[in-house]
Amino acid sequence: MKTTKHTKTARRMFMSMLAGVALAGLAQPAMASGAYPEKPVTLVVPFPPGGTSDVVGRILAEALSQELGQTVLVDNRGGAGGTIGTRTVAAAAPDGYTLLLATSSTNGTNSAVYKSLPYDAATDFTPVTQIIRVPGVIAATKTFPAKTYAEFVELIKKSPGKYSYASSGNGGATHMAMEYYKSMTGLNILHIPYRGTGPALNDVIGGQVDMIWDTAASSMPHIQAGNLIPLVIAGKSRLENLPDVPIAAEVGLPDYDAEMWNGLLAPAGLPADVLEKLHAAAVKALGRPDVRKRYEALGAYVIADTPEEFGSMIRGDIEKWKKVADFANISIE
């Protein structure tokens, strides 16, 4: 076939057009293949299986799976007071596929007591929503001389330093909550740290230690069994199961806010559209009657606030616990 001048010109124009199309394809961002989420989402629980945080996370994961239309997998990454799992999420891609079941310790008290925390509890995360809050209770062993809050305060004032309280560990949330209480009341009560809430509760029930600050969720069965005497509730209202036990505000401590909380966080930099969809799904999940009922069975109540409200709460919590750490001279390497 004879190649003419016009044929060569047409060929050059065709090849130039193909090159232009290819370059345009390279210059344009890839089209999204679909809306978030396109694959399973991982919820990191920074504590071992079986604990309260694990239960809270699994309830949310199940309901969130249904709202998102994708499986939400629970990944337990415990260790170092929750810092290992929390650091993992802080370092993850901000795409909505790796989330954190945050706690009062991981994004609250840890910032106050750890000298070198491998993440910034406020700036390394995108707040999604606060899930629940859990009231606390100061409870004494059943042989404790005081049976009411007024008797308790009078007894401690008469014998400062004589009585002791157990906590789940030095610098832990329950330790900090009791030190916060001491800073507001001026009461002198010795601290006995344990390696976990279970051993601490066992020794208080057994009478080796006088009292404990614990969540209502884990101490309630022991109170109902008569093994612990509830003295005061760290919460906003009286508990249905303990209607005769006063809250802190009723005994002259209106500013004592030491409820434990759990929340949903994503890595910092989460795109606004993903945050909007994730928040809407979480709020819808937390609004389901069956979910609320399961959380209420743990002694908790649902919050489901906005990302802005949750972020503000975290920042305020960190500052509060820093003051408590300074007061009690609490520091962990």
Side-chain angles (χ1 to χ4, degrees):
M1 179 178 179
K2 185 177 181 180
T3 302
T4 67
K5 181 177 179 181
H6 292 294
T7 303
K8 290 180 179 179
T9 300
R11 183 179 298 170
R12 283 198 300 269
M13 290 177 64
F14 180 68
M15 296 303 293
S16 177
M17 182 179 68
L18 287 179
V21 171
L23 288 172
L26 290 174
Q28 294 293 325
M31 293 291 289
S33 58
Y36 169 85
E38 299 178 285
K39 60 182 181 180
V41 174
T42 297
L43 176 63
V44 175
V45 175
F47 295 97
T52 301
S53 293
D54 180 56
V55 175
V56 171
R58 290 180 186 278
I59 292 173
L60 177 67
E62 181 181 329
L64 196 56
S65 294
Q66 297 176 28
E67 298 302 335
L68 288 174
Q70 279 285 358
T71 301
V72 178
L73 304 168
V74 173
D75 181 6
N76 293 93
R77 295 203 183 189
T83 63
I84 292 176
T86 305
R87 178 180 59 189
T88 298
V89 177
D95 55 11
Y97 291 102
T98 305
L99 307 174
L100 175 69
L101 191 284
T103 73
S104 302
S105 57
T106 62
N107 294 76
T109 59
N110 281 357
S111 293
V113 300
Y114 278 87
K115 286 187 176 181
S116 181
L117 200 62
Y119 57 86
D120 187 297
T123 62
D124 283 350
F125 301 92
T126 299
V128 179
T129 189
Q130 189 176 178
I131 302 167
I132 59 166
R133 292 183 76 85
V134 184
V137 57
I138 297 177
T141 185
K142 61 184 178 182
T143 57
F144 194 66
K147 306 301 180 185
T148 66
Y149 181 76
E151 293 174 352
F152 162 72
V153 172
E154 183 181 1
L155 184 68
I156 301 300
K157 285 183 175 179
K158 285 183 178 178
S159 305
K162 177 181 177 180
Y163 298 99
S164 59
Y165 77 93
S167 82
S168 59
N170 190 44
T174 60
H175 176 204
M176 297 292 283
M178 191 63 173
E179 291 300 322
Y180 184 30
Y181 170 79
K182 288 167 59 180
S183 74
M184 299 186 75
T185 61
L187 297 179
N188 186 349
I189 310 170
L190 297 177
H191 174 224
I192 309 295
Y194 284 79
R195 294 178 66 85
T197 299
L201 272 170
N202 287 340
D203 273 11
V204 175
I205 292 170
Q208 285 82 12
V209 186
D210 299 301
M211 67 197 76
I212 189 170
W213 195 108
D214 190 22
T215 63
S218 61
S219 60
M220 189 66 72
H222 306 291
I223 292 172
Q224 293 175 328
N227 293 320
L228 293 175
I229 302 169
L231 300 168
V232 64
I233 302 296
K236 293 179 173 60
S237 60
R238 292 199 179 198
L239 299 182
E240 183 178 344
N241 292 336
L242 301 174
D244 298 325
V245 182
I247 62 173
E250 294 174 321
V251 297
L253 299 170
D255 298 325
Y256 181 59
D257 179 13
E259 291 182 322
M260 301 292 104
W261 57 264
N262 288 109
L264 185 63
L265 296 177
L270 188 71
D273 59 332
V274 176
L275 174 59
E276 182 179 359
K277 184 164 187 179
L278 187 57
H279 176 261
V283 168
K284 193 172 180 180
L286 292 171
R288 291 170 42 173
D290 61 316
V291 171
R292 288 179 175 266
K293 187 175 181 180
R294 291 175 71 182
Y295 281 138
E296 287 169 1
L298 297 175
Y301 60 95
V302 170
I303 300 295
D305 54 4
T306 67
E308 293 76 18
E309 290 169 335
F310 185 29
S312 178
M313 190 282 293
I314 289 175
R315 292 189 295 272
D317 218 38
I318 291 170
E319 290 305 311
K320 174 181 70 181
W321 295 125
K322 283 182 178 178
K323 292 177 182 178
V324 174
D326 290 342
F327 163 81
N329 194 27
I330 302 171
S331 179
I332 299 175
E333 295 292 340

